[in-house]
Amino acid sequence: MAEPTQQFHATLVLPTYNASDFIEQTVVRMRRFVLENPAWSVMFVCDGCSDDTAAKLRALIQNDGPALKAEVYERNRGKGYAVRRGLSLAGTKYRLFTDVDLAYDPDDAPKLLAMLEEGADMVVVNRASPESTYLISPRDFSNIYKRHMMSRTFNWWLRQMLPITILDTQAGFKGMTGAAWDKLAPDLYSDGFFFDTELLARAEKLGLKVAETPVHFRYLDPTTVRMVRHGYGMFWETLKLRRALRKTHAAPTAHALTAAK
């Protein structure tokens, strides 16, 4: 467990992989964010980047002090591993994560923090909420409906298979209290994109209070090939997690019941 970071109240973790083309814009944006929100720190987790992202990142934040920091390691482990590492190192009372391309507006972070301060153990944004707003390029119009229907179908299936009630499982902007993270972290194993689903399933299985909120979202369209490839892998990951949760939370054995008497 990381030592508490007394100087800051909340940390925003940005899992980062081969972001050389836009990392400077992200740093500039996050520098403005911490200036406007001095109780926050930002942690970039460079997940075995094979380009010059790490070098650029270190140079860009070298004079920013502890408010902007970078965790860098050589082997690429996946988004889930990067998020887990960042959340464990954060050390603050509240810990959030979002995508390094800032598809989700970081100005929504204080809203998520307020919900955690008001009693939620975890907060998840919901892109499907009628109150969410999208910034969309006209070139993406032809794909957005297809992506939306695939996402809704997959989310429906996840809610049938796992103890999840949240409507937007794959939204890349989530937050939790440090206490909630300490309960969740020991059992989490997913290193890849399935991390978000596993996190939610385990949180709800533990009975944590999970809240949803609308969000401002900049639509960045992935290719259909990528969606199909990741979706196929997540199908099997879902079955694996379903079995694991059933085994972990199975009824006590006769021996355990006898010992408890």
Side-chain angles (χ1 to χ4, degrees):
M1 185 187 306
E3 292 297 321
T5 307
Q6 301 294 345
Q7 183 176 355
F8 301 106
H9 188 55
T11 302
L12 183 59
V13 174
L14 302 180
T16 305
Y17 179 69
N18 289 0
S20 179
D21 290 345
F22 60 85
I23 193 64
E24 183 172 359
Q25 295 95 305
T26 297
V27 169
V28 169
R29 178 66 184 87
M30 298 318 300
R31 184 178 292 133
R32 176 158 62 88
F33 174 80
V34 296
L35 286 173
E36 295 171 350
N37 301 276
W40 287 76
S41 67
V42 173
M43 181 186 296
F44 295 86
V45 181
C46 200
D47 180 37
C49 298
S50 59
D51 62 4
D52 62 348
T53 298
K56 278 188 175 182
L57 184 55
R58 284 169 168 153
L60 287 164
I61 68 173
Q62 61 180 338
N63 297 320
D64 285 291
L68 295 181
K69 48 199 169 187
E71 168 72 5
V72 177
Y73 48 90
E74 293 184 0
R75 179 186 168 194
N76 175 242
R77 300 289 297 270
K79 176 191 173 181
Y81 179 88
V83 173
R84 294 207 322 268
R85 187 153 174 165
L87 293 176
S88 293
L89 291 173
T92 47
K93 186 174 182 179
Y94 301 102
R95 309 172 196 186
L96 296 82
F97 65 91
T98 193
D99 299 335
V100 72
D101 58 16
L102 302 185
Y104 300 87
D105 190 340
D107 285 342
D108 281 332
K111 177 179 65 174
L112 273 67
L113 173 59
M115 295 175 70
L116 293 170
E117 292 174 326
E118 290 167 4
D121 297 307
M122 181 181 294
V123 179
V124 182
V125 302
N126 180 7
R127 293 167 296 179
S129 168
E131 298 176 16
S132 290
T133 60
Y134 279 63
L135 177 63
I136 307 170
S137 169
R139 69 174 178 270
D140 294 325
F141 287 168
S142 62
N143 292 326
I144 188 170
Y145 182 73
K146 181 191 300 183
R147 181 183 178 186
H148 175 76
M149 293 305 298
M150 291 175 67
S151 175
R152 293 298 90 218
T153 300
F154 184 64
N155 274 267
W156 175 86
W157 184 73
L158 286 176
R159 294 195 300 274
Q160 312 312 305
M161 298 296 292
L162 298 170
I164 291 177
T165 58
I166 293 299
L167 295 176
D168 192 359
T169 57
Q170 298 311 116
F173 201 175
K174 298 179 175 70
M176 67 211 73
T177 65
W181 177 247
D182 289 342
K183 293 178 182 178
L184 289 162
D187 293 321
L188 294 168
Y189 61 81
S190 177
D191 286 346
F193 288 101
F194 190 70
F195 168 79
D196 294 83
T197 300
E198 185 193 7
L199 179 71
L200 289 172
R202 292 191 183 278
E204 297 207 37
K205 193 71 175 181
L206 286 174
L208 298 183
K209 184 179 179 181
V210 183
E212 295 183 273
T213 184
V215 70
H216 297 91
F217 180 67
R218 180 167 58 95
Y219 183 81
L220 301 172
D221 186 42
T223 66
T224 302
V225 173
R226 181 183 174 190
M227 290 182 67
V228 171
R229 183 175 71 245
H230 289 163
Y232 182 78
M234 290 177 70
F235 171 82
W236 294 109
E237 289 283 359
T238 299
L239 298 181
K240 176 182 175 182
L241 178 59
R242 180 182 170 91
R243 289 193 297 269
L245 290 176
R246 284 181 167 180
K247 183 177 180 180
T248 302
H249 298 276
T253 62
H255 174 75
L257 290 171
T258 302
K261 292 181 179 179

